[in-house]
C-alpha cells in the first residue's frame, strides 16, 4: 500500500521536474516577454512552401528605422571553425569548435547572459573582438587571464585574429541557444559574400527587442512593407511572397520545429503527454491506496462494531481513520521523495541531456507538487475513513459484513481505471519501440557503416587546398586499411543549411524550387554507395565538370522530369544554367523523422567541411593513429577531430529513445501499482466470500474449480480495461506517429500482446490469494474463523 503510493509520488515528481524544466526555457532573461525571433516564411500562390529561422542581415536595421516600436536588435551568424591560441611558451592549443557565433554588440544588452569580465555596453564594438565562456577560458588559457589575449579563428566565413574582451558565464541549460565564443559581427560583414547587400544571404538569426506596450501582432502585420520595399521586385520574378513572423522567445523551445533551428528543440506535445501521464500514475497510486485500505479495513470490522457498541461516535471513528490515513500518506511521501532522489541518479544521463538539475530549486516546482499531493492526501484519506466508520455495529457483531462494504462496484471500477492506464502505457511503449526499430532498420539508400568522419581543416580555400585534399587522399589510400576518401560540405545525419531556389531552363513558366545544395567531390557517391539511376558521376578532372550538377530523385520529381534518363543533359539553375550529368537515388540525409528533400550536388571539393574515410580495417585504434599522422602531414597546424558516422547518425534518435525509456519505466510503475490494487480486490473478495467457498468445498468443489471461479471474477475488470485501452491507445499513437515522415503501421499483435501481458500479470497477482482462499479448511470458513 505504502510502496504503491510512494512509487506513484516518485514518478509524479520526476515527470513534474522535467515538465517544469521544459517550460522554463529562456525565462531567465529579464526582458524575455519583449524579445522576439524573426522567422522567414516563403509562399507560392499563397501556399506555404518553406519556413526558416535564418533570414537577412539587413532586415533588422531596416525594421528599426521604419518602426519606432523596436527598441533594439541582435543578429547572430554561425562561426564554427578551428580556434587556436599560442601560449607564451610557444605551445599551440587548437580545437574545432561548434558553439561559436558572430553577433552584434547589443547581444548582452538584449539578452541577460551575465558577463563575468567586461562591460556589456562596450564588448564586441571593435571588429576584431571576441568574448568567451568561463569554460573556454579554462580550456584555452588555464590559469591565465584571457582578457587582452589573442585567439585565432580559422573559418570558411571570416577568420583572423580576435582579442578577448570579456568572459561570460556558461549559458544555462534551459536556453534554446548555447555558445562558447561570440565574435564581432562587424568583421564578418567585411566578407565579400555579404558585400552584395544585406537582402540576399539568409544566414542570420535575428532577435528584436520591442518597447514596452508594443503589440507584436500589429507590428508583424506591417513588416511585409519592409520586404516589399527592399526585395519586392526580385521576389516577384521568382513568383515568391515572403513574410516575417515574430516568434516569442519563450515559445521557441517547445513550439518551433522549423528548418535551420539553432539547436534541436523540445515538443509541447511530449510535455502535454507527460503531464497527463504524471497525473494518471499519481491517481493510480491513490486509487490503489483506497482499494487496499478499504480491503484491509474489512478485517477491522469487528473493532468498529465493538467501538460503536461501546458508544463511539462516527465523528470519532472518522477522525481516527483520517489520522491513520494521513500518517500512511505522509510516510508514503517521505519514501516517495527518497525514490525520487534515486530516480534522479538513475535517470541522470536523461536529465542532464535535457535540462540538468537546476529546476530542483524552483519554488514553483515544489509548490505545484505539494499542492497536488496534499489534495490527494485528503481525497484518498476521506473515502476509506467514511466507509469504515459507516459499518452497522449489530450486523458486524453477528458476523454479517455489508454486501457493499467498501463499495465493491466502485472498487472494481477503480481497478478498471488503473488497468486501462497501464495497458495504454504498455501499448504506447510497444508502438514507440516499434517506430524506433522501424527507422533504424530501414534502408538509408547509402552505406554509413565503417565510415570515419574527420573535420576538414579550416584554412583559406584555394586551389592549393584542393591539392592538399588530394595529397591526403593519396597518402591515406596508400594504407590497406582505407578503401576510399571523400570531401563534402555536409555528411549524413546533419541538416543541409545551404539552400537555393533553382528552376528548369528552356521551359516556359518554369517555377523555382527550393533545393538543398551539397558540395562534394568525385568520390562521395561511390564512397557512400549511393545508387546512380541515370547518367554518370563527376570526373576527377574539375575542368570536365565545370557547370555540371547531379540531382537526387526528389529533385527529379520537383523539377517535373518524367524519368531519370530524360533529365540527363537538361539544364537547371538560378541565374546560370547548369547541366544535369547524373541522377542518384534518394538517400536519407537526416533521420527518417524528416522527409527527403531535393538535393543538388555540385563538384566543389574546396567547399568541404568534412572528410569521410571508408574503412577497410576494423582495428579502430590503429586506424585513427594512422589517419592522424597523415592528416598532420597534409594539414600541419590543424586540429585532428573525428567521429564515426553510424554513431553520429544514431544520435538523431536519442530524444525518441529517451521517451521510449521513460514510457517503459512508467508503464512498469503503473502496472505494478495497478497489480497492488487488484491484490486489494482479491483480498476483499476472498474475505467476503469465505462462507461461500466453504459451502462449495463441502458440496464437493475442487480447489481448482474454486481458483478458476475467483480468478474469473478478478480478470473481468482487466478484460474491460483492455477493451477500453485499445481504441484509446490506437488513436493516441496514430496521432503521435504523424510527426514522422516515415512511420510504421500499428499491427494488431501489439494490442494482443499488451492484453495478454496484462492478463498474465493479473493472474500472477491474484493467483496466490485465490489459491490461499481455495485451500482454506471449509469448517473454519463456515465457522468464520
Amino acid at each position: 500500500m505504502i510502496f504503491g503510493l510512494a512509487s506513484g509520488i516518485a514518478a509524479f515528481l520526476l515527470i513534474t521536474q522535467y515538465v517544469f524544466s521544459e517550460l522554463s526555457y529562456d525565462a531567465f532573461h529579464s526582458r524575455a516577454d519583449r524579445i522576439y525571433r524573426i522567422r522567414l516564411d516563403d509562399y507560392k500562390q499563397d501556399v506555404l512552401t518553406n519556413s526558416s529561422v535564418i533570414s537577412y542581415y539587413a532586415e533588422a536595421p531596416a525594421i528599426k528605422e521604419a518602426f519606432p516600436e523596436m527598441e533594439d536588435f541582435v543578429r547572430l551568424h554561425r562561426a564554427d571553425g578551428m580556434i587556436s591560441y599560442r601560449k607564451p611558451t610557444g605551445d599551440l592549443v587548437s580545437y574545432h569548435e561548434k558553439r561559436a557565433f558572430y553577433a552584434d554588440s547589443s547581444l548582452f544588452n538584449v539578452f541577460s547572459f551575465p558577463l563575468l569580465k567586461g562591460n556589456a555596453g562596450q564588448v564586441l564594438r571593435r571588429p576584431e573582438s571576441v568574448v568567451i565562456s568561463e569554460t573556454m577560458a579554462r580550456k584555452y588559457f588555464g590559469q591565465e587571464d584571457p582578457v587582452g589575449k589573442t585567439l585565432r579563428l580559422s573559418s570558411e566565413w571570416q577568420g583572423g585574429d580576435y582579442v578577448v574582451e570579456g568572459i561570460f558565464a556558461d549559458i544555462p541549460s534551459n536556453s534554446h541557444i548555447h555558445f562558447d565564443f561570440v565574435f564581432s559581427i562587424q568583421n564578418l560583414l567585411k566578407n565579400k559574400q555579404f558585400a552584395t547587400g544585406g537582402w540576399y544571404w539568409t544566414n542570420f538569426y535575428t532577435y528584436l527587442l520591442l518597447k514596452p506596450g508594443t503589440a507584436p501582432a500589429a507590428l508583424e502585420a506591417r513588416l511585409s512593407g519592409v520586404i516589399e520595399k527592399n526585395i519586392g521586385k526580385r521576389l516577384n520574378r521568382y513568383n515568391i511572397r515572403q513574410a516575417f513572423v515574430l516568434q516569442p522567445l519563450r515559445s521557441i523551445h517547445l513550439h518551433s520545429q522549423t528548418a535551420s533551428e539553432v539547436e534541436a528543440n523540445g515538443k509541447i506535445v511530449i510535455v502535454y503527454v507527460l503531464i497527463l501521464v504524471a497525473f494518471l500514475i499519481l491517481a493510480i497510486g491513490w486509487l490503489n491506496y483506497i482499494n487496499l485500505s478499504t480491503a484491509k479495513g474489512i478485517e477491522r470490522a469487528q473493532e468498529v462494531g465493538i467501538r460503536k457498541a461501546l458508544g463511539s461516535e462516527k465523528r470519532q471513528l472518522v477522525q481516527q481513520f483520517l489520522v491513520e490515513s494521513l500518517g500512511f500518506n505522509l510516510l508514503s511521501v517521505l519514501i516517495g521523495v527518497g525514490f525520487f532522489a534515486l530516480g534522479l541518479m538513475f535517470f541522470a544521463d536523461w536529465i542532464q541531456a535535457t535540462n540538468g538539475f537546476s529546476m530542483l530549486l524552483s519554488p514553483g516546482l515544489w509548490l505545484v507538487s505539494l499542492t497536488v499531493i496534499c489534495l490527494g492526501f485528503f481525497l484518498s484519506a476521506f473515502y476509506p475513513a467514511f466507509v469504515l466508520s459507516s459499518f452497522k455495529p449489530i450486523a458486524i457483531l453477528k458476523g454479517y459484513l455489508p454486501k457493499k462494504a467498501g463499495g465493491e462496484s466502485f472498487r472494481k471500477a477503480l481497478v478498471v481505471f488503473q488497468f486501462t492506464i497501464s495497458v495504454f502505457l504498455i501499448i504506447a511503449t510497444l508502438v514507440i519501440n516499434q517506430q524506433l526499430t522501424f527507422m533504424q532498420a530501414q534502408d538509408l539508400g547509402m552505406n554509413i557503416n565503417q565510415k570515419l568522419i574527420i573535420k576538414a581543416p579550416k584554412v583559406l580555400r584555394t586551389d592549393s587546398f584542393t591539392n592538399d585534399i588530394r595529397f591526403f587522399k593519396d597518402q591515406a589510400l596508400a594504407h590497406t586499411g582505407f578503401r576510399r576518401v571523400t570531401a563534402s560540405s555536409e555528411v549524413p545525419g546533419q541538416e543541409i543549411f545551404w539552400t537555393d531556389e533553382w528552376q528548369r531552363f528552356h521551359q516556359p513558366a518554369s517555377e523555382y524550387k527550393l533545393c538543398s545544395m551539397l558540395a562534394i567531390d568525385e568520390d562521395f557517391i561511390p564512397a557512400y554507395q549511393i545508387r546512380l539511376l541515370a547518367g554518370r558521376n563527376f570526373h576527377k578532372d574539375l575542368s570536365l565538370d565545370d557547370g555540371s550538377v547531379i540531382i537526387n530523385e526528389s529533385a527529379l520529381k520537383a523539377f517535373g522530369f518524367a524519368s531519370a534518363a530524360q533529365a540527363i543533359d537538361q539544364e537547371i539553375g538560378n541565374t546560370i544554367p547548369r547541366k544535369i550529368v547524373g541522377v542518384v537515388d534518394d538517400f536519407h540525409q537526416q533521420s527518417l523523422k524528416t522527409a527527403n528533400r531535393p538535393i543538388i550536388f555540385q563538384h566543389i571539393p574546396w567547399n568541404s567541411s568534412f572528410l569521410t574515410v571508408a574503412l577497410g580495417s576494423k582495428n579502430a585504434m590503429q586506424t585513427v593513429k594512422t589517419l592522424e599522422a597523415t592528416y598532420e602531414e597534409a594539414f600541419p597546424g590543424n586540429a585532428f577531430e573525428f567521429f564515426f558516422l553510424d554513431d553520429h547518425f544514431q544520435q538523431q534518435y536519442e530524444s525518441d529513445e529517451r521517451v521510449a525509456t521513460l514510457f517503459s519505466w512508467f508503464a512498469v510503475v503503473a502496472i505494478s501499482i495497478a497489480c497492488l490494487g487488484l491484490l486489494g480486490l482479491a483480498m476483499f473478495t476472498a474475505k467476503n466470500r469465505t462462507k461461500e467457498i466453504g459451502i462449495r468445498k463441502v458440496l464437493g468443489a475442487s480447489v481448482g474449480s474454486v481458483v478458476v471461479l475467483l480468478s474469473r471474477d478478478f480478470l473481468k475488470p482487466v478484460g474491460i480495461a483492455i477493451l477500453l485501452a485499445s481504441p484509446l491507445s490506437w488513436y493516441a499513437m496514430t496521432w503521435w506517429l504523424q510527426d514522422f515522415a516515415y512511420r510504421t503501421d500499428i499491427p494488431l499483435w501489439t494490442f494482443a500482446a499488451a492484453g495478454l501481458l496484462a492478463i498474465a500479470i493479473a493472474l500472477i497477482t491474484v493467483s496466490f490469494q485465490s489459491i490461499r482462499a481455495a485451500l482454506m479448511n471449509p469448517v473454519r470458513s463456515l465457522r468464520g474463523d
Side-chain angles (χ1 to χ4, degrees):
M1 184 162 59
I2 293 176
F3 174 82
L5 184 53
S7 299
I9 290 172
F12 176 80
L13 289 175
L14 276 171
I15 298 175
T16 303
Q17 188 269 343
Y18 173 81
V19 167
F20 265 77
S21 296
E22 289 289 279
L23 296 175
S24 74
Y25 265 70
D26 298 306
F28 59 88
H29 296 291
S30 60
R31 301 172 176 178
D33 61 325
R34 295 194 284 127
I35 300 175
Y36 293 81
R37 185 177 69 178
I38 290 182
R39 188 185 78 210
L40 182 62
D41 288 352
D42 291 348
Y43 293 86
K44 285 186 177 180
Q45 298 177 348
D46 292 327
V47 176
L48 180 66
T49 57
N50 186 58
S51 288
S52 177
V53 295
I54 54 176
S55 50
Y56 309 102
Y57 84 77
E59 68 198 31
I63 293 172
K64 186 174 183 181
E65 180 181 353
F67 301 104
E69 300 98 316
M70 182 171 155
E71 182 176 320
D72 209 344
F73 65 86
V74 60
R75 298 162 295 181
L76 296 105
H77 186 290
R78 293 186 182 275
D80 300 350
M82 190 178 74
I83 296 177
S84 308
Y85 170 62
R86 181 75 65 178
K87 292 185 175 182
T89 59
D91 295 332
L92 183 67
V93 180
S94 61
Y95 299 95
H96 287 278
E97 301 290 355
K98 293 185 67 176
R99 304 205 318 181
F101 287 88
Y102 301 98
D104 288 297
S105 59
S106 56
L107 175 68
F108 295 97
N109 290 322
V110 172
F111 295 104
S112 300
F113 299 119
L115 274 174
L116 304 179
K117 287 188 177 182
N119 188 310
Q122 299 298 322
V123 297
L124 301 178
R125 290 187 176 275
R126 297 187 303 113
E128 289 81 20
S129 61
V130 61
V131 290
I132 64 176
S133 69
E134 53 184 325
T135 295
M136 292 301 107
R138 291 191 297 269
K139 178 179 177 179
Y140 282 84
F141 300 97
Q143 299 302 315
E144 297 180 58
D145 183 1
V147 177
K149 302 292 195 304
T150 300
L151 289 173
R152 181 165 188 82
L153 171 65
S154 300
S155 171
E156 57 204 81
W157 292 106
Q158 190 65 34
D161 292 334
Y162 290 83
V163 177
V164 179
E165 289 188 336
I167 302 174
F168 55 87
D170 289 340
I171 306 300
S173 58
N174 58 339
S175 172
H176 82 282
I177 182 171
H178 294 85
F179 47 81
D180 289 312
F181 299 86
V182 183
F183 299 91
S184 172
I185 204 169
Q186 294 184 48
N187 215 26
L188 172 68
L189 299 182
K190 295 177 182 179
N191 190 301
K192 63 180 182 179
Q193 295 195 60
F194 300 107
T196 56
W199 289 96
Y200 186 77
W201 296 99
T202 55
N203 299 74
F204 294 80
Y205 300 95
T206 303
Y207 298 83
L208 309 182
L209 175 63
L210 305 185
K211 291 181 179 179
T214 300
L219 176 61
E220 180 181 291
R222 294 184 289 158
L223 292 180
S224 57
V226 176
I227 299 176
E228 182 62 30
K229 176 182 176 181
N230 290 277
I231 52 173
K233 292 182 179 179
R234 190 178 83 210
L235 295 178
N236 290 337
R237 187 169 73 248
Y238 295 147
N239 193 26
I240 296 174
R241 178 175 66 84
Q242 290 187 332
F244 290 142
V245 178
L246 298 182
Q247 295 181 304
L249 181 67
R250 291 292 311 281
S251 74
I252 289 174
H253 176 66
L254 290 176
H255 296 274
S256 184
Q257 306 292 329
T258 314
S260 308
E261 291 286 352
V262 186
E263 300 175 10
N265 288 327
K267 292 183 178 180
I268 191 64
V269 171
I270 298 297
V271 171
Y272 290 152
V273 170
L274 287 176
I275 290 173
L276 178 62
V277 170
F279 280 98
L280 290 176
I281 289 180
L282 190 57
I284 288 176
W286 281 324
L287 297 176
N288 172 71
Y289 171 82
I290 292 172
N291 264 349
L292 289 179
S293 60
T294 50
K296 295 292 288 184
I298 302 305
E299 299 175 3
R300 300 177 63 182
Q302 288 191 343
E303 175 195 340
V304 174
I306 292 172
R307 293 188 60 179
K308 279 195 168 186
L310 293 176
S312 294
E313 297 179 1
K314 183 174 182 178
R315 175 180 56 83
Q316 293 173 313
L317 293 172
V318 168
Q319 289 176 348
Q320 175 192 342
F321 290 127
L322 275 178
V323 170
E324 292 178 2
S325 295
L326 291 176
F328 277 118
N329 273 276
L330 182 59
L331 182 59
S332 299
V333 169
L334 294 176
I335 297 174
V337 171
F339 288 168
F340 171 55
L342 291 174
L344 287 178
M345 292 188 289
F346 186 79
F347 290 110
D349 292 340
W350 167 65
I351 294 171
Q352 289 283 33
T354 51
N355 304 300
F357 297 99
S358 59
M359 282 310 300
L360 294 179
L361 303 176
S362 169
L365 168 66
W366 291 105
L367 179 62
V368 170
S369 299
L370 291 175
T371 300
V372 172
I373 290 172
C374 287
L375 179 63
F377 274 2
F378 290 100
L379 292 178
S380 62
F382 269 97
Y383 179 78
F386 277 99
V387 168
L388 298 178
S389 63
S390 64
F391 293 159
K392 302 298 182 183
I394 297 177
I396 293 173
L397 293 175
K398 286 183 177 180
Y400 297 105
L401 287 175
K403 186 171 181 62
K404 295 186 178 180
E408 186 175 353
S409 298
F410 179 62
R411 290 163 51 74
K412 288 185 177 180
L414 296 185
V415 172
V416 170
F417 176 80
Q418 290 174 317
F419 267 86
T420 298
I421 302 306
S422 301
V423 173
F424 177 91
L425 289 175
I426 292 173
I427 294 174
T429 301
L430 291 174
V431 173
I432 292 172
N433 281 287
Q434 286 170 20
Q435 176 63 18
L436 281 173
T437 302
F438 171 80
M439 292 190 295
Q440 294 165 355
Q442 289 301 298
D443 180 11
L444 298 176
M446 61 182 168
N447 185 358
I448 63 173
N449 297 319
Q450 291 291 96
K451 300 290 189 298
L452 186 145
I453 310 299
I454 306 171
K455 293 183 179 179
K458 300 297 182 180
V459 296
L460 184 63
R461 303 307 168 89
T462 61
D463 290 341
S464 174
F465 177 66
T466 305
N467 294 332
D468 291 340
I469 288 181
R470 286 180 175 169
F471 174 78
F472 173 75
K473 283 186 178 184
D474 293 340
Q475 293 296 102
L477 293 174
H479 299 276
T480 56
F482 311 118
R483 293 197 310 246
R484 199 177 287 269
V485 181
T486 179
S488 60
S489 57
E490 299 290 352
V491 293
Q494 304 203 170
E495 181 180 356
I496 300 176
F497 284 91
W498 181 17
T499 60
D500 207 346
E501 296 273 353
W502 282 41
Q503 69 168 165
R504 286 180 64 174
F505 277 80
H506 316 300
Q507 185 180 47
S510 175
E511 290 189 356
Y512 283 86
K513 306 295 181 181
L514 183 67
C515 301
S516 297
M517 314 298 296
L518 192 60
I520 64 172
D521 64 11
E522 67 281 357
D523 290 304
F524 183 87
I525 291 174
Y528 281 97
Q529 299 175 27
I530 300 172
R531 191 161 65 100
L532 197 65
L533 300 179
R536 61 172 176 84
N537 186 20
F538 289 128
H539 289 294
K540 183 176 182 179
D541 187 346
L542 294 177
S543 63
L544 297 178
D545 274 319
D546 186 24
S548 299
V549 296
I550 294 174
I551 64 175
N552 71 342
E553 192 174 8
S554 290
L556 179 82
K557 296 174 182 176
F559 288 119
F561 293 110
S563 65
Q566 185 199 46
I568 302 302
D569 292 332
Q570 298 297 312
E571 291 184 327
I572 58 175
N574 191 319
T575 55
I576 301 174
R578 307 280 185 178
K579 183 185 292 186
I580 300 173
V581 297
V583 179
V584 297
D585 198 2
D586 275 342
F587 64 92
H588 292 283
Q589 173 66 26
Q590 293 178 260
S591 74
L592 273 77
K593 294 185 287 186
T594 305
N596 285 325
R597 298 173 180 173
I599 299 177
I600 296 176
F601 304 84
Q602 297 192 80
H603 197 189
I604 317 177
W606 58 87
N607 187 18
S608 303
S609 298
F610 299 95
L611 300 173
T612 300
V613 181
L615 305 179
S617 169
K618 294 186 178 181
N619 189 342
M621 294 304 298
Q622 186 58 44
T623 295
V624 171
K625 289 180 181 178
T626 302
L627 277 177
E628 184 173 11
T630 305
Y631 184 89
E632 290 177 352
E633 182 182 1
F635 310 106
N638 282 271
F640 177 78
E641 294 186 23
F642 69 94
F643 55 85
F644 288 96
L645 185 59
D646 51 355
D647 293 335
H648 176 72
F649 199 89
Q650 185 66 23
Q651 289 175 5
Q652 298 176 98
Y653 300 115
E654 281 185 350
S655 61
D656 302 288
E657 289 173 345
R658 285 197 293 271
V659 171
T661 300
L662 279 179
F663 268 83
S664 299
W665 279 106
F666 292 143
V668 170
V669 171
I671 198 74
S672 299
I673 300 173
C675 285
L676 290 175
L678 189 61
L679 180 61
L681 181 61
M683 292 167 60
F684 173 78
T685 303
K687 187 73 175 179
N688 253 7
R689 302 177 68 175
T690 300
K691 286 185 170 57
E692 177 193 342
I693 295 171
I695 293 171
R696 286 179 178 272
K697 294 191 70 176
V698 168
L699 294 176
S702 65
V703 172
S705 64
V706 173
V707 171
V708 170
L709 174 69
L710 294 177
S711 299
R712 184 179 59 197
D713 288 343
F714 298 151
L715 292 179
K716 284 180 181 178
V718 179
I720 295 171
I722 294 170
L723 293 176
L724 292 174
S726 296
L728 287 174
S729 55
W730 179 86
Y731 178 81
M733 299 317 296
T734 301
W735 173 65
W736 177 75
L737 287 170
Q738 298 305 310
D739 280 346
F740 296 87
Y742 304 92
R743 50 187 175 269
T744 184
D745 295 323
I746 305 178
L748 291 177
W749 70 258
T750 303
F751 304 98
L756 290 174
L757 180 61
I759 291 172
I761 293 172
L763 277 174
I764 294 172
T765 301
V766 302
S767 60
F768 174 77
Q769 190 66 32
S770 299
I771 294 172
R772 180 184 175 189
L775 291 174
M776 185 177 290
N777 188 322
V779 176
R780 294 183 59 188
S781 300
L782 293 172
R783 283 199 317 224
D785 292 347

